[in-house]
Amino acid sequence: MEKNFILNTPPPKKKKGISAALKKNILIGLAITAGLLLLAALGFLLYFNAQFSVYQDAQYKFSIKYPKTWRVLPHPQANVAVIFLRPKDTALDTLQENFNLTIQPVPEDIFTLAAFSARIKTQMIAVFGKSIIIVKEKSLHWGWREGHQMVFEAPKPDDLKMTNAWVLYHNQAYIMTFLGSIEKYPHDSLYIDEMIRSLRLQ
């Protein structure tokens, strides 16, 4: 006689989900973390903005922000509206980082920003040759006005970094130039970018 055996298998265990209380605590924790990050970012922004003063130029009709600790030289020579000198870190520094803004008439054969930018690029390569490298090039905007930016490097033995940005306005080219060391540029670039963004033409 055959015997039939019936196996009694236990029902599958129900997966325990996250309790409502735990979900609530997680959401609260995420909200607190996001809030702290937002406060930290706001605090840094307020601190960073407090490091700047505003230079107003009545002759060339523009304003620009600059770090409060930098020395200001207004109108040092023709077509140079202002030079900002970064303090030296030590007395042994051979290079003093500087930012200047020059105003030049747009050549009569230049009709567009692209043509002017190409002319600047050609001139830079002609002057410095293979000793410089273009590491960044992009368009910039000040409201509805479009400009252009180029960042150059002159590697060893010079170890120099130069940023040029310009915008055309009323047949004038407003050209901003920063010259500094490659080593210090990661720190200085925060201030340089803010100075360039802050330009206001009247």
Side-chain angles (χ1 to χ4, degrees):
M1 177 180 287
E2 294 184 358
K3 292 184 179 181
N4 296 325
F5 294 94
I6 300 175
L7 296 177
N8 294 322
T9 56
K13 293 182 179 180
K14 293 182 179 179
K15 293 182 179 180
K16 292 184 178 180
I18 300 176
S19 66
L22 181 56
K23 287 182 180 180
K24 182 178 180 181
N25 289 336
I26 291 174
L27 291 175
I28 291 174
L30 291 174
I32 291 174
T33 301
L36 291 174
L37 291 174
L38 182 61
L39 287 174
L42 180 60
F44 174 78
L45 181 61
L46 292 173
Y47 168 79
F48 183 72
N49 287 334
Q51 308 305 306
F52 291 87
S53 293
V54 177
Y55 172 81
Q56 299 275 356
D57 196 302
Q59 178 178 339
Y60 291 108
K61 301 185 184 305
F62 72 88
S63 67
I64 190 170
K65 292 166 63 175
Y66 68 95
K68 291 179 178 179
T69 58
W70 291 29
R71 185 182 172 194
V72 182
L73 300 177
H75 304 169
Q77 61 189 61
N79 296 327
V80 180
V82 63
I83 296 177
F84 302 104
L85 297 176
R86 178 190 186 278
K88 290 185 177 182
D89 292 329
T90 70
L92 300 178
D93 283 351
T94 57
L95 171 68
Q96 185 164 27
E97 285 76 9
N98 64 87
F99 182 106
N100 67 71
L101 197 156
T102 61
I103 291 89
Q104 301 177 6
V106 178
E108 294 182 358
D109 61 331
I110 296 293
F111 300 101
T112 65
L113 175 65
F116 185 84
S117 300
R119 176 74 61 87
I120 292 287
K121 187 175 182 178
T122 300
Q123 291 175 347
M124 293 292 293
I125 294 175
V127 172
F128 296 100
K130 295 181 179 180
S131 64
I132 63 168
I133 303 169
I134 300 174
V135 296
K136 184 168 71 172
E137 184 175 359
K138 66 177 184 178
S139 296
L140 296 178
H141 290 86
W142 291 269
W144 58 269
R145 296 188 185 94
E146 183 179 3
H148 202 76
Q149 181 181 19
M150 289 184 184
V151 181
F152 303 87
E153 279 186 3
K156 292 182 179 180
D158 299 309
D159 287 329
L160 297 177
K161 196 120 178 182
M162 180 167 57
T163 294
N164 288 101
W166 54 84
V167 60
L168 307 184
Y169 182 61
H170 288 172
N171 297 321
Q172 300 285 325
Y174 289 73
I175 305 173
M176 293 166 282
T177 302
F178 170 78
L179 181 65
S181 71
I182 291 177
E183 180 183 357
K184 298 176 185 177
Y185 188 78
H187 174 267
D188 289 339
S189 64
L190 295 174
Y191 297 90
I192 302 312
D193 290 345
E194 181 64 19
M195 294 172 77
I196 291 174
R197 282 193 300 264
S198 72
L199 177 68
R200 297 292 181 269
L201 303 178
Q202 302 165 5

